[in-house]
Amino acid sequence: MTFNEFMDKVAARNSHEPEFMQAVKEVIETVWDVYEATPRYQQYNILERIVEPERVIQFAVPWMDDEGKVHVNRGYRVQFNSAIGPYKGGIRFHPSVNLSVMKFLGFEQTFKNSLTTLPMGGGKGGADFDARGRSDGEIMRFCHSFMAELYRHIGPNTDVPAGDIGVGRREIGYMFGYYKKLVNEFTGVFTGKGFEWGGSRIRPEATGFGVVYFTEEMLKVQGDSFKGKRVAISGFGNVAWGAVQKINELGGKVVTISGPDGYILDEDGISGEKVDYMTVLRASNNDRVKDYADKYPSAKFFPGKRPWEVPVDIAIPCATQNELNEEDAQNLINNKIMCLTEAANMPCTPKAIEMIQNAKILFAPGKAANAGGVATSGLEMTQNSNRLSWPAEKVNQELHAIMKGIHEACRTHGTQPDGYINYVKGANVAGFVKVANAMCDMGLI
Ligand code: NDP
Ligand code: 2IT
């Protein structure tokens, strides 16, 4: 079988799922030579099996708004692969959620979790719920209805959800609380919990911190650092917030954040109380970053635009999938950026990645760079199993070491003959081999 024949076969089953096909193509094309060189993988038909989710759950989520009107959303949990541990991955509430998005995220999560070196399989869940303008009571009722079905499919040794877009500490509280009531057990079934009820220190910051630690390692290989670098960030959510904090700490200057309404350029840098203000903006359930420019006169708002046109040294997309396209990549290349790190899941289109790599610009794929979030979730699971909680410094140290290890794995598997490190190939091969070997060891199950 050739690579194209394989992709045709996958497309015949999944062609109506563009995000999932995009994620599959990127992984399989970079591991194809490993597959061809390993008879055991062929004997066990690993590739066809690894692109097939082990279980897909879809369910109705009925709920009542504050006016007494009844709504119904569609809920999902994709339990993608459990070869190396219980299913693990976030829950996303956003109107753009559909089965293709859930499957792409569950597939990516499988390799990301493998890269962390912790025993976690891959999963993802969510609903096409739009939280904008919704009251706290409406969000609580939605979360309870979602959990009224999901609870029977998860468990601390089966499947452990966490947050993602639209799901933070508040939503996890409502879901965890309802699970606890239904099952009559207080267990580590969610990560990203509040610190008072089993959550790990540093988990809120972990994804953003990890992204910056990974980028720091890439810069180090080039004999460089964050010191004095201008950085463009997109989004203004949890991941963006963590990344901005750590970049400031390392001496970089973040000049942009963005929302669906446009982007903010703040030449004075987004630091100090402005970073705290990002959490206020996000918690407002209002998708406008424009408010930042109304509050801080040093900032300018560019409606309907993306931040990739601003001259910077480093670009870090932190919002959502396919938010950086070939036109944006061309702008970044023209502005001579040195590094592009994916903090969101699959934020760059395949064409944009190809252009950046051809220009020999440092490029970090999301499944490696943003793995610090789920890695710290893994550390939360360990703390819950041991019934104790570690201080922030310890969690941060572990996270830092894990990110350095992931960078090293990418470097080992991705260094090209000309010395350029293809981090996409490195991450995919390192993540894939461990899952594939475990699947072979267990036979056909
Ligand atoms: P948040 O909900 O906190 O923030 C998401 C941000 O992206 C918001 O600014 C949101 O604005 C914006 N956004 C979401 N969807 C779209 C869209 N379709 N178009 C434009 N903007 C959009 O989520 P997180 O910060 O947690 O997640 C950001 C990214 O990081 C996601 O890709 C997520 O999968 C990934 N990630 C998150 C991890 C975590 O631990 N939280 C771990 C690893 C990866 P709005 O909602 O107003 O549209
Ligand atoms: O995409 C991701 O890695 C996450 N949203 C975090 C998953 C987790 O289980 O912490």
Side-chain angles (χ1 to χ4, degrees):
M1 189 170 49
T2 64
F3 170 69
N4 285 337
E5 283 165 356
F6 174 78
M7 285 309 300
D8 285 347
K9 213 166 169 184
V10 182
R13 280 178 155 178
N14 305 290
S15 59
H16 53 295
E17 294 173 349
E19 293 86 1
F20 177 58
M21 287 302 300
Q22 182 182 335
V24 167
K25 182 163 186 283
E26 184 217 275
V27 170
I28 303 301
E29 72 189 353
T30 53
V31 302
W32 189 260
D33 54 347
V34 177
Y35 170 72
E36 286 207 306
T38 316
R40 197 155 90 118
Y41 294 169
Q42 294 162 34
Q43 182 195 345
Y44 281 100
N45 199 5
I46 289 298
L47 289 192
E48 267 188 66
R49 290 172 56 213
I50 216 165
V51 301
E52 201 56 30
E54 291 175 1
R55 191 177 295 116
V56 174
I57 301 147
Q58 188 194 305
F59 50 98
V61 189
W63 58 281
M64 189 177 277
D65 68 20
D66 288 343
E67 274 71 56
K69 190 168 169 234
V70 173
H71 303 258
V72 62
N73 282 92
R74 199 169 271 185
Y76 302 91
R77 187 71 182 168
V78 175
Q79 298 180 330
F80 216 103
N81 190 296
S82 61
I84 62 167
Y87 305 107
K88 179 83 194 88
I91 292 200
R92 176 179 292 192
F93 291 162
H94 196 272
S96 62
V97 163
N98 57 38
L99 187 57
S100 172
V101 169
M102 293 285 100
K103 279 175 67 181
F104 116 65
L105 288 164
F107 181 72
E108 287 282 291
Q109 197 81 45
T110 301
F111 305 103
K112 181 196 304 192
N113 293 3
S114 167
L115 283 170
T116 66
T117 71
L118 303 176
M120 301 183 288
K124 199 82 186 191
D128 56 355
F129 174 68
D130 192 350
R132 268 175 305 182
R134 290 298 170 195
S135 70
D136 198 56
E138 289 172 325
I139 287 174
M140 181 182 74
R141 290 195 292 281
F142 181 80
C143 289
H144 286 175
S145 180
F146 185 83
M147 197 43 58
E149 173 59 33
L150 188 66
Y151 87 97
R152 70 187 85 245
H153 306 290
I154 61 177
N157 296 308
T158 306
D159 184 353
V160 182
D164 193 80
I165 293 178
V167 176
R169 190 197 134 120
R170 173 179 58 169
E171 292 75 15
I172 289 171
Y174 293 144
M175 289 191 274
F176 176 81
Y178 208 63
Y179 177 91
K180 180 170 78 64
K181 178 165 178 157
L182 288 171
V183 177
N184 196 28
E185 269 182 12
F186 195 113
T187 60
V189 71
F190 263 87
T191 59
K193 301 186 287 297
F195 301 141
E196 302 83 358
W197 37 281
S200 176
R201 296 283 162 187
I202 303 291
R203 178 63 189 87
E205 299 88 346
T207 308
F209 278 18
V211 161
V212 177
Y213 291 147
F214 191 92
T215 308
E216 196 186 17
E217 291 303 304
M218 295 166 87
L219 296 174
K220 240 193 240 168
V221 174
Q222 313 300 320
D224 215 325
S225 77
F226 265 101
K227 220 168 181 57
K229 298 288 185 302
R230 275 168 67 88
V231 185
I233 289 224
S234 64
F236 63 104
N238 172 261
V239 175
W241 167 76
V244 172
Q245 285 179 65
K246 190 52 80 178
I247 292 165
N248 281 314
E249 219 178 277
L250 297 181
K253 187 186 200 185
V254 178
V255 291
T256 72
I257 51 171
S258 73
D261 54 332
Y263 77 88
I264 294 288
L265 173 62
D266 186 344
E267 286 291 353
D268 284 357
I270 300 168
S271 60
E273 64 153 75
K274 296 173 188 168
V275 184
D276 302 331
Y277 180 66
M278 283 175 72
T279 63
V280 177
L281 257 184
R282 186 73 195 118
S284 70
N285 267 356
N286 167 352
D287 62 359
R288 297 171 48 215
V289 284
K290 182 181 175 298
D291 295 356
Y292 181 106
D294 297 339
K295 189 167 163 66
Y296 298 108
S298 57
K300 260 181 88 175
F301 176 65
F302 295 82
K305 297 265 200 159
R306 294 188 293 274
W308 318 123
E309 60 189 24
V310 176
V312 290
D313 304 301
I314 297 168
I316 310 187
C318 299
T320 195
Q321 62 271 6
N322 292 325
E323 56 160 309
L324 194 158
N325 64 23
E326 51 187 293
E327 187 190 329
D328 302 316
Q330 194 56 57
N331 280 335
L332 294 171
I333 293 167
N334 292 346
N335 286 331
K336 301 197 167 23
I337 59 154
M338 61 182 302
C339 179
L340 169 48
T341 300
E342 290 190 326
N345 286 307
M346 211 168 77
C348 299
T349 63
K351 186 76 194 151
I353 298 175
E354 190 188 325
M355 289 165 66
I356 293 289
Q357 288 188 321
N358 285 344
K360 303 287 176 194
I361 291 165
L362 295 173
F363 178 79
K367 68 169 76 63
N370 73 29
V374 74
T376 307
S377 280
L379 301 175
E380 183 168 326
M381 290 167 74
T382 303
Q383 292 167 75
N384 292 165
S385 299
N386 290 338
R387 299 195 190 281
L388 46 78
S389 81
W390 300 343
E393 303 73 49
K394 177 171 166 69
V395 181
N396 193 24
Q397 259 171 22
E398 298 274 346
L399 166 65
H400 202 162
I402 289 171
M403 295 316 297
K404 284 183 174 180
I406 297 175
H407 178 269
E408 208 40 48
C410 293
R411 196 176 171 184
T412 303
H413 293 279
T415 302
Q416 305 298 293
D418 65 356
Y420 179 71
I421 304 173
N422 183 340
Y423 285 94
V424 176
K425 183 171 176 71
N428 288 340
V429 171
F432 168 79
V433 165
K434 189 170 147 191
V435 177
N437 288 346
M439 288 172 74
C440 291
D441 289 347
M442 292 176 196
L444 302 186
I445 50 166

